[in-house]
């Protein structure tokens, strides 16, 4: 056993990690946001740009997080501290771990409210509470659901309790066992809905919407959307993947495992589009973004189709599973740190975390009803949690992870952990040193609304900038290393 390795529970196999990480990546946003963006920004052209962004920004950073977790065998804080110590670097780099852990927990504090919508709508679909004759009627039902703090709070509590029950049972008995049936269950339900959609009369329109190669629709806005979604969809810089990586068996290939998760995440998102949009097009509705599609247009479409209640129940079961697998991953970093550093049992750590989660998520839930007037600088508490995590903490955390791996840690440590061929390792190192950081900086600046560049027209100049940055970076790398390590 090396000095960086600690006795630690592991996934029963590589597929346990793949299912858990894919479950973390596949959330509510994948079900409506990615398919909608695909159709809106050029279909197949957008998918190609998205895959390029996944390979250049998402996969290198994800490989880095998994390697840090498996080598450090601990929570994000402990793993990064051990890795820095092994390379003779300052333990202050563990602040990246603190930010990642806090980011994941803050995301969960508002995510349980959104996830509560899917559970609430599952019950409404079962009980017949989604009766309406127009999108306006459905919008009124959605507004009434959010305006009732008791109802919205109850469903948020259901999500929080279910999450803590699963996490409290442990890595193998709780998380791995749960995702081993929830993820295949999601895929089976998607396949059933796609099969129905193939005979609904709207399948051809859905396929054209999603996959028609329309390069003229791929605007600068679409390219930025592809880059941003490629980073955020893999749950990077939120502590989830790094913590899950700490349970990965030593013999598992990090490169193949990461690519498997990235491909599975993309496929599930596209399958969701093939399941949803045929129903929308067959009923003469326009595809829309945001909760309007899932919670307003789609329930109305289910009412108009044969066996609509059955397929509506299947859909919201699937949506609830997607929400739950993501919420499980977001809290695991916090529970892992408490069990490793505070001597708490997993059950006590889970329920203690759950109590704090419930209090903060209740404040986020109240932003939709009794606390609607409680604002700071024009934002509710719910909005602030979303803004701080998605606009600031995740991009900065991802940038820090890339710089840590590219310039701070001893190169032989990650070379040994990743186990890549020399050519592939060199490509990963180039990506993590230059391409990923530049991509994350673009995401960060764009998220703050400071960017006004026509990427579609200026890509030759941007490629030149990357080449210059790479050349300067390689020439000054010793100086950069001293600067980051001081």
């Amino acid at each position: 056993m090396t000095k960086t390795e600690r006795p630690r529970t592991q996934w029963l196999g590589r597929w346990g990690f793949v299912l858990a990480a894919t479950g973390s990546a596949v959330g509510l946003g994948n079900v409506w946001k990615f398919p909608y963006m695909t159709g809106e920004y050029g279909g197949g052209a957008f998918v190609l740009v998205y895959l390029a962004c996944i390979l250049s920004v998402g996969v290198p950073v994800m490989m880095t997080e998994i390697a840090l977790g498996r080598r450090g065998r601990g929570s994000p804080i402990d793993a990064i501290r051990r890795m820095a110590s092994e390379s003779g670097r300052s333990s202050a780099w563990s602040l990246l771990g603190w930010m990642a852990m806090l980011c994941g927990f803050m995301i969960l504090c508002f995510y349980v409210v959104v996830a509560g919508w899917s559970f609430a709508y599952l019950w409404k679909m079962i009980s017949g509470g989604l009766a309406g004759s127009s999108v306006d009627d459905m919008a009124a039902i959605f507004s009434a659901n959010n305006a009732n703090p008791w109802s919205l709070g109850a469903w948020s509590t259901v999500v929080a309790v279910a999450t803590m029950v699963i996490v409290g049972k442990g890595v193998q008995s709780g998380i791995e066992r749960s995702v081993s049936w929830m993820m295949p269950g999601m895929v089976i339900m998607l396949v059933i809905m796609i099969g129905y959609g193939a005979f609904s009369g709207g399948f051809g329109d859905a396929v054209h919407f999603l996959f028609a190669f329309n390069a003229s629709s791929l605007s600068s806005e679409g390219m930025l959307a592809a880059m941003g979604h490629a980073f955020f969809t893999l749950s990077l810089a939120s502590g989830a993947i790094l913590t899950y990586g700490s349970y990965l068996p030593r013999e598992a290939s990090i490169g193949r495992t990461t690519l498997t998760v990235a491909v599975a995440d993309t496929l599930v998102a596209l399958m969701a589009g093939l399941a949803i949009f045929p129903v929308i097009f067959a009923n003469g509705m326009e595809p829309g973004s945001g909760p309007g599609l899932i919670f307003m247009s789609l329930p109305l479409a289910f009412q108009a189709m044969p066996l609509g209640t059955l397929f509506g129940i299947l859909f919201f079961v699937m949506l609830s599973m997607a929400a739950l697998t993501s919420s499980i991953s977001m809290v695991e970093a916090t529970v892992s740190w408490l069990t490793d550093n505070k001597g708490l049992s997993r059950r006590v750590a889970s329920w203690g975390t759950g109590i704090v989660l419930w209090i903060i998520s209740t404040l986020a839930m109240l932003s939709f009803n009794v606390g609607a007037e409680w604002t700071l600088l024009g934002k509710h508490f719910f909005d602030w949690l979303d803004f701080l995590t998605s606009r600031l903490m995740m991009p900065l955390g991802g940038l820090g992870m890339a710089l840590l791996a590219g310039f701070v840690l001893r190169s032989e440590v990650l070379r040994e952990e990743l186990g890549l061929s020399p050519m592939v390792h060199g490509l990963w190192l180039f990506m993590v040193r230059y391409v990923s950081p530049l991509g994350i900086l673009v995401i960060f600046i764009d998220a703050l609304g400071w960017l006004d560049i026509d990427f579609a027209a200026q890509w030759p100049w941007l490629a030149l900038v990357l080449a210059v940055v790479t050349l300067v970076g390689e020439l000054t790398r010793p100086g950069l290393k001293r600067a980051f390590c001081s």
Side-chain angles (χ1 to χ4, degrees), residues 25-76:
V26 177
L28 297 178
N30 283 65
V31 176
W32 61 264
K33 188 174 183 179
F34 179 70
Y36 176 78
M37 288 192 302
T38 299
E40 185 74 7
Y41 294 122
F46 176 84
V47 172
L48 285 180
V49 173
Y50 170 78
L51 290 176
C53 294
I54 279 278
L55 291 173
S56 61
V57 178
V59 167
V61 177
M62 189 175 192
M63 290 174 64
T64 299
E65 290 202 29
I66 296 172
L68 291 173
R70 189 168 75 175
R71 185 81 174 192
R73 291 295 183 196
S75 68

Side-chain angles (χ1 to χ4, degrees), residues 260-298:
T260 302
V261 172
V263 170
D265 175 58
T266 304
L267 286 177
V268 170
L270 290 173
M271 288 175 68
L274 289 175
I276 293 171
F277 289 120
V279 176
I280 295 296
F281 285 118
N283 288 275
M285 297 179 179
E286 289 295 324
S289 63
L293 177 66
I294 301 300
F295 299 107
M296 297 174 202
S297 299
L298 204 56

Side-chain angles (χ1 to χ4, degrees), residues 38-171:
T38 299
E40 185 74 7
Y41 294 122
F46 176 84
V47 172
L48 285 180
V49 173
Y50 170 78
L51 290 176
C53 294
I54 279 278
L55 291 173
S56 61
V57 178
V59 167
V61 177
M62 189 175 192
M63 290 174 64
T64 299
E65 290 202 29
I66 296 172
L68 291 173
R70 189 168 75 175
R71 185 81 174 192
R73 291 295 183 196
S75 68
I77 300 165
D78 298 324
I80 293 176
R81 186 181 66 248
R82 289 169 187 159
M83 290 290 285
S85 175
E86 186 179 6
S87 294
R89 309 308 182 200
S90 171
S91 61
W93 282 97
S94 64
L95 290 174
L96 277 176
W98 280 104
M99 184 164 65
M101 188 177 77
L102 179 61
C103 179
F105 185 78
M106 288 172 63
I107 291 172
L108 184 58
C109 286
F110 71 84
Y111 189 81
V112 295
V113 180
V114 179
W117 295 344
S118 60
F119 280 79
Y121 269 64
L122 172 59
W123 172 248
K124 289 179 188 297
M125 185 62 70
I126 294 172
S127 63
L130 288 177
S133 58
S134 66
V135 174
D136 290 339
D137 291 341
M138 291 299 174
I141 293 173
F142 184 70
S143 298
N145 182 72
N146 288 342
N148 186 337
W150 298 105
S151 174
L152 188 59
W155 290 114
S156 301
T157 302
V158 167
V159 177
V161 170
T163 299
M164 295 310 160
V165 167
I166 293 171
V167 173
K169 290 183 176 181
V171 174

Side-chain angles (χ1 to χ4, degrees), residues 1-2 4-6 10-11 14 66-73 83 245-254 413 416-419:
M1 183 180 296
T2 68
T4 59
E5 190 173 352
R6 301 291 187 274
Q10 295 185 9
W11 305 110
R14 169 175 170 263
I66 296 172
L68 291 173
R70 189 168 75 175
R71 185 81 174 192
R73 291 295 183 196
M83 290 290 285
S246 71
Y247 306 130
L248 188 66
R250 181 64 59 189
E251 65 274 10
S253 167
I254 291 178
V413 174
E416 175 186 330
E417 193 62 37
L418 290 169

